[in-house]
Amino acid sequence: MTRKWVAAAAVGCAMGVLMGAAPGGRQAWEQDLRVERLDPAPAPAGGLTEVHAFVYNDGQESVAGAFTVTVTLPAGTQPEEPYFPRNCHTLAGAAPVVQCSFPSGLQAGQSATALVPVRLGPDVRGVLVGSVRVASVGDPNPSNDVKQFDIVVSG
């Protein structure tokens, strides 16, 4: 009986490896960029805070191609240079948007962060909601590529 149980367990493990199963029932991807939610520090109306657009390679291999991080700021705010990395730039459009590029090669288990200083308008109140999005060719799991963040207007 013990041999049958061990054999069945071995087959189950082998199937999990072949099918890409990961611990906890997650799908194991070669590369999988995901955005983690990080809310900026609260700031008063007219004040300055900073969005940390945090991206993590949750896959098992390095990211094969370059990727882009896009920060969409809430209404009533404006991005304020300098940005990090230096290649970040503001996009034209209705909402303030900052886009940053990162090269290929982000290792499995490593992260990348874009820093975007944000000036709050003088009349904003409450909680302002923005978002961070990562885009990469070959990212097989788009369900974790966007997260919202909240800027709490203090005072």
Side-chain angles (χ1 to χ4, degrees):
M1 180 68 177
T2 301
R3 280 191 197 160
K4 288 183 182 178
W5 185 86
V6 171
V11 169
C13 288
M15 289 301 291
V17 169
L18 291 173
M19 296 177 68
R26 291 183 327 162
Q27 176 72 34
W29 306 103
E30 290 177 4
Q31 67 178 33
D32 179 25
L33 291 176
R34 81 168 188 241
V35 175
E36 288 294 322
R37 180 179 176 145
L38 293 175
D39 291 334
L48 190 66
T49 191
E50 187 170 56
V51 172
H52 293 241
F54 185 85
V55 175
Y56 179 78
N57 182 358
D58 200 23
Q60 296 180 356
E61 295 184 12
S62 298
V63 176
F67 60 96
T68 303
V69 174
T70 303
V71 179
T72 302
L73 298 174
T77 66
Q78 286 297 317
E80 193 167 290
E81 294 187 37
Y83 307 130
F84 179 84
R86 289 185 182 174
N87 69 25
C88 296
H89 58 280
T90 305
L91 299 178
V97 175
V98 175
Q99 194 168 68
C100 308
S101 299
F102 290 86
S104 64
L106 184 66
Q107 300 292 314
Q110 298 293 309
S111 62
T113 304
L115 303 176
V116 179
V118 179
R119 177 72 60 188
L120 279 61
D123 300 323
V124 295
R125 304 274 182 267
V127 177
L128 310 174
V129 180
S131 67
V132 174
R133 172 184 300 274
V134 65
S136 172
V137 174
D139 187 339
N141 184 15
S143 69
N144 60 8
D145 291 353
V146 179
K147 288 282 193 302
Q148 291 186 331
F149 61 84
D150 294 340
I151 300 175
V152 176
V153 181
S154 61

